[in-house]
């Protein structure tokens, strides 16, 4: 009985220590990302056009968050969201000139229109996805008020977390 009690205490202590380490790692990651984004904010302040702002934001997001796809899409009067700045990881088959333009019948437009973010662990399960054969799985689309949307993607399912959304 003493051995069983000892091992149960050891198990409980290990789990508590693992949980603490995991929380601390997440907090460190968040702090590092916020510090990096703060450095980029100076460049954003110095930008003189909205395309410059989009380029700087996408470059910062790609370097800080390290996702497979980052893009800023501007809303047009004809009901389209067109890419202003897009970057893809080297492992992705798309290149910036191949970045799609989204219309009314898309997840991106729904986010722009509703003003509500979209987060999915696997965009392939959403019938509104732009490309039925997309290589992307996780997707985060953020509304940028009347300007358009920010779109972030990963070829792995379930990679976005609260840190990505808050940063």
């Amino acid at each position: 009985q003493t051995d069983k009690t000892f091992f149960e205490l050891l198990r409980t202590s290990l789990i508590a220590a693992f949980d603490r380490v995991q929380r601390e790692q997440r907090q460190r990651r968040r702090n590092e990302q916020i510090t990096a984004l703060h450095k980029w904010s100076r460049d954003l302040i110095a930008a003189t056009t909205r395309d410059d702002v989009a380029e700087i934001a996408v470059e910062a997001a790609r370097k800080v968050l390290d996702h497979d796809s980052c893009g800023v899409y501007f809303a047009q009067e004809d009901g389209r969201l067109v890419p202003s700045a897009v970057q893809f990881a080297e492992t992705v088959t798309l290149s910036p000139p191949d970045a799609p333009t989204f219309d009314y019948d898309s997840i991106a437009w729904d986010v722009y229109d509703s003003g509500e973010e979209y987060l999915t662990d696997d965009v392939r399960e959403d019938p509104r996805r732009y490309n039925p054969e997309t290589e992307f799985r996780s997707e985060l689309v953020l509304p940028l008020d009347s300007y358009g949307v920010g779109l972030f993607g990963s070829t792995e399912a379930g990679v976005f977390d609260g840190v990505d959304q808050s940063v």
Side-chain angles (χ1 to χ4, degrees), residues 50 72-82 101-119 128 139-151:
R50 70 183 202 163
V72 171
Y73 291 75
F74 287 137
Q76 305 297 304
E77 289 182 16
D78 64 359
R80 296 176 306 131
L81 291 165
V82 298
T101 296
F102 299 107
D103 59 19
Y104 291 111
D105 189 28
S106 66
I107 296 167
W109 187 268
D110 288 348
V111 168
Y112 170 71
D113 192 43
S114 71
E116 295 179 22
E117 71 182 39
Y118 172 85
L119 173 66
R128 299 171 302 154
E139 192 166 271
L140 173 62
V141 186
L142 301 174
L144 301 175
D145 291 330
S146 63
Y147 299 103
V149 298
L151 197 148

Side-chain angles (χ1 to χ4, degrees), residues 24 26-36 163:
E24 289 172 356
R26 276 195 308 264
Q27 186 61 44
R28 264 193 307 278
R29 177 176 170 232
R30 179 182 167 87
N31 290 344
E32 289 168 0
Q33 289 174 325
I34 289 171
T35 299
V163 172

Side-chain angles (χ1 to χ4, degrees), residues 35-88:
T35 299
L37 285 175
H38 179 71
K39 292 176 186 174
W40 288 96
S41 68
R42 284 176 257 168
D43 291 338
L44 287 171
I45 291 168
T48 57
T49 69
R50 70 183 202 163
D51 287 327
D52 289 345
V53 169
E55 283 290 336
I56 293 165
V58 166
E59 186 174 340
R62 244 321 265 130
K63 289 184 178 180
V64 173
L65 299 174
D66 193 34
H67 292 303
D68 296 322
S69 169
C70 297
V72 171
Y73 291 75
F74 287 137
Q76 305 297 304
E77 289 182 16
D78 64 359
R80 296 176 306 131
L81 291 165
V82 298
S84 172
V86 179
Q87 289 188 12
F88 297 107

